[in-house]
């Protein structure tokens, strides 16, 4: 909001400020809408407005705790869904390939069951993947990790 205040005090449009600072109009619009600006952008604006760089840095918007928590929860949820999707793809690959290998094993050498070794080895990998995604025992999962970090930082949840 300080950028907009300085701009309006001089009677400049966003386009005029963009031209004077060497920035794009869209960048000026984003900054005035409350999005954070890079240090280089703030230095350019400080030079145009003939103010100290620290004045503009102090104005940088900070997230309140509720917003930061909501963003962290959303990021964690997206990360979990990505992990879940990767697990389901892994499981589907296992089922399809093992089914094909069982058919090949029964056709080529029905008296010698070698596909069991493939099923066992890959099955251990799928089971390990499932444990990492679902945390069935709740041990050493994301909640435990978050509690431990908060305890280490001296905060309570």
């Amino acid at each position: 909001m300080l950028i907009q205040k300085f701009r309006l005090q001089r009677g400049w449009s966003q386009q005029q400020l963009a031209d004077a600072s060497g920035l794009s109009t869209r960048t000026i619009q984003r900054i005035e809408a409350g999005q954070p600006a890079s240090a280089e952008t703030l230095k350019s604006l400080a030079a145009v407005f003939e103010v100290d760089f620290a004045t503009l840095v102090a104005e940088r918007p900070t997230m309140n705790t509720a917003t930061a928590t909501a963003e962290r929860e959303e990021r964690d949820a997206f990360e979990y869904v990505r992990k879940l999707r990767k697990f389901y793809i892994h499981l589907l690959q296992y089922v399809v390939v093992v089914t094909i290998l069982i058919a090949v094993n029964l056709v080529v050498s029905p008296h010698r069951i070698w596909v069991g070794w493939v099923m066992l080895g890959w099955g251990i990998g799928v089971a390990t993947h499932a444990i990492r995604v679902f945390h069935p025992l709740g041990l050493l999962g994301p909640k435990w990790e978050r509690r431990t970090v908060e305890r280490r930082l001296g905060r309570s949840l």
Side-chain angles (χ1 to χ4, degrees):
M1 292 300 168
L2 193 56
I3 305 290
Q4 185 177 23
K5 179 181 171 188
F6 285 149
R7 178 178 63 80
L8 293 175
Q9 283 176 347
R10 286 164 177 73
W12 292 347
S13 68
Q14 290 178 335
Q15 182 62 50
Q16 288 171 319
L17 176 57
D19 293 340
S21 64
L23 302 171
S24 71
T25 307
R26 184 68 188 122
T27 301
I28 303 298
Q29 291 169 346
R30 282 194 298 265
I31 295 168
E32 289 186 0
Q35 293 183 8
S38 69
E40 292 79 22
T41 299
L42 292 177
K43 286 177 184 177
S44 176
L45 292 170
V48 168
F49 291 132
E50 299 173 348
V51 297
D52 189 34
F53 172 70
T55 306
L56 299 181
V57 171
E59 165 67 15
R60 274 188 171 169
T62 57
M63 285 192 271
N64 62 27
T65 307
T67 304
T69 302
E71 285 185 8
R72 185 183 72 214
E73 287 174 353
E74 183 177 355
R75 188 176 58 248
D76 290 348
F78 275 111
E79 182 180 334
Y80 176 75
V81 169
R82 277 191 292 275
K83 287 180 182 180
L84 189 61
R85 180 176 46 89
K86 288 178 183 178
F87 170 72
Y88 286 142
I89 289 170
H90 188 189
L91 182 62
L92 180 64
Q93 290 170 339
Y94 173 77
V95 169
V96 169
V97 171
V98 166
T99 302
I100 292 169
L101 289 177
I102 289 172
V104 169
N105 189 176
L106 292 175
V107 170
V108 174
S109 58
H111 302 297
R112 187 164 169 238
I113 307 296
W114 49 264
V115 76
W117 293 108
V118 175
M119 291 171 57
L120 177 65
W122 198 350
I124 290 171
V126 170
T128 303
H129 196 166
I131 289 170
R132 283 193 345 245
V133 171
F134 295 110
H135 306 287
L137 303 176
L139 299 174
L140 307 179
K143 289 181 183 176
W144 170 84
E145 189 176 295
R146 191 171 292 127
R147 281 193 313 265
T148 305
V149 167
E150 294 294 336
R151 193 174 329 133
R152 176 82 176 152
L153 294 174
R155 300 183 221 155
S156 61
L157 286 175

